[in-house]
Amino acid sequence: MSNEITYEKWEEYLSGSLDLEEKNQLDTALQANEGLRQQLALYQEVRAAIQDEQLTSFRQTLQQVQQEQKAVVVQKQKTLSINYRWIAIAATVIGLAVLAWLIPGITSSGVADPSQLYAQYAQHEISLQEMSTDPTLGAIQALLEGKKYEEALPLLTSYLSAHPEAADVLLAQAVAQLETGKTEQALQTLDVLESDHPIYGNEAKWYRALAYLKKGEIMEARAALLTIPDSSSRFEDAQELLPKLRN
């Protein structure tokens, strides 16, 4: 199933109006795709935050937009070959714009600059556990403290090839990737860290939020922060950052 799930589809899924075959497909996709699960969780939060009258108004506005789009299609079919996929995307964009208008904080114009927030919160305190007995780790630690992330990366990769179980080094690799603009690689490293080293799970969630923030993906960053439990040492940081992604 495509990762492009529209507002209408989530609404049909949650309201129980989705036909059985599509519901089964979406259930299967949700089990296999963490990104879709995060989308659903974020949509549920947004959906709950809208007052009943706002939701009704939004639905009516979206239905009106769709009717207008259909009228345009009917008219242009007489002379043009219509690309229905792009019309659907256009309707979705308009719908999201209306949703952002209804809910303060979803619009990017009201959110603090992501790069400034990243610089403020990406304060890395990495202490490699075996530094005192391993000179390679000592060298890596010195490079990280000097913010020489590009130089640290090959040493981190080499060390992990010999010690794949070193979770603290894996976290350091994700930080170095993040700081050198290799954001997608950092996200992949964080997935491995959270999957293989549960004790570092909340740290991985925090850095995943920072990675999305660095990419300017505010809603994804917010969704990642919402997964950090109150038992985590990162919970207060997450709660402090969340309002800045809302207002």
Side-chain angles (χ1 to χ4, degrees):
M1 172 173 286
S2 170
N3 286 333
E4 294 180 10
I5 307 299
T6 64
Y7 162 80
E8 291 177 289
K9 193 67 67 178
W10 284 132
E11 185 62 29
E12 289 175 359
Y13 178 78
L14 292 173
S15 65
S17 60
L18 199 63
D19 67 63
L20 183 59
E21 182 179 355
E22 283 191 294
K23 181 181 183 300
N24 290 338
Q25 290 178 351
L26 188 49
D27 283 337
T28 301
L30 283 166
Q31 291 177 4
N33 190 318
E34 182 181 353
L36 283 180
R37 292 196 297 273
Q38 290 180 355
Q39 285 183 35
L40 176 58
L42 184 60
Y43 175 73
Q44 287 175 309
E45 182 194 7
V46 169
R47 187 174 185 260
I50 305 175
Q51 296 180 358
D52 290 342
E53 62 269 22
Q54 291 177 319
L55 183 56
T56 300
S57 174
F58 172 67
R59 287 173 173 167
Q60 291 173 346
T61 303
L62 185 58
Q63 289 172 356
Q64 182 180 354
V65 169
Q66 291 172 328
Q67 290 171 358
E68 292 173 355
Q69 290 290 338
K70 289 178 181 177
V72 170
V73 170
V74 170
Q75 181 179 2
K76 289 190 176 182
Q77 275 180 333
K78 297 177 182 179
T79 55
L80 299 173
S81 173
I82 303 300
N83 187 325
Y84 289 95
R85 180 175 183 274
W86 287 110
I87 290 178
I89 291 174
T92 300
V93 170
I94 294 171
L96 290 174
V98 176
L99 182 62
W101 173 72
L102 287 173
I103 308 174
I106 298 301
T107 172
S108 60
S109 63
V111 176
D113 180 70
S115 61
Q116 293 180 358
L117 287 176
Y118 175 83
Q120 179 182 351
Y121 284 91
Q123 304 299 319
H124 314 303
E125 298 179 2
I126 299 174
S127 178
L128 302 180
Q129 296 173 357
E130 301 176 8
M131 181 179 62
S132 59
T133 59
D134 192 316
T136 301
L137 291 180
I140 293 172
Q141 181 78 38
L143 290 171
L144 294 175
E145 290 176 353
K147 302 185 184 299
K148 298 179 180 180
Y149 299 108
E150 196 71 55
E151 296 178 40
L153 268 177
L155 293 178
L156 287 162
T157 301
S158 176
Y159 188 89
L160 285 168
S161 66
H163 306 87
E165 76 288 349
D168 53 338
V169 181
L170 195 63
L171 175 60
Q173 183 183 53
V175 170
Q177 289 168 335
L178 196 56
E179 290 294 342
T180 53
K182 300 176 177 64
T183 312
E184 291 300 330
Q185 292 181 26
L187 286 169
Q188 293 173 9
T189 302
L190 292 169
D191 286 341
V192 174
L193 181 65
E194 185 172 5
S195 173
D196 295 352
H197 306 281
I199 194 171
Y200 279 80
N202 292 324
E203 198 70 8
K205 291 181 174 70
W206 169 252
Y207 273 100
R208 184 178 292 112
L210 291 181
Y212 285 129
L213 190 60
K214 188 166 188 177
K215 293 174 66 178
E217 297 178 359
I218 299 300
M219 295 182 69
E220 289 80 358
R222 180 170 170 75
L225 291 171
L226 289 170
T227 66
I228 298 176
D230 57 9
S231 58
S232 168
S233 61
R234 288 295 187 182
F235 180 74
E236 290 186 6
D237 293 330
Q239 294 303 302
E240 180 181 314
L241 179 54
L242 274 167
K244 299 178 182 180
L245 304 182
R246 183 190 296 274
N247 299 321

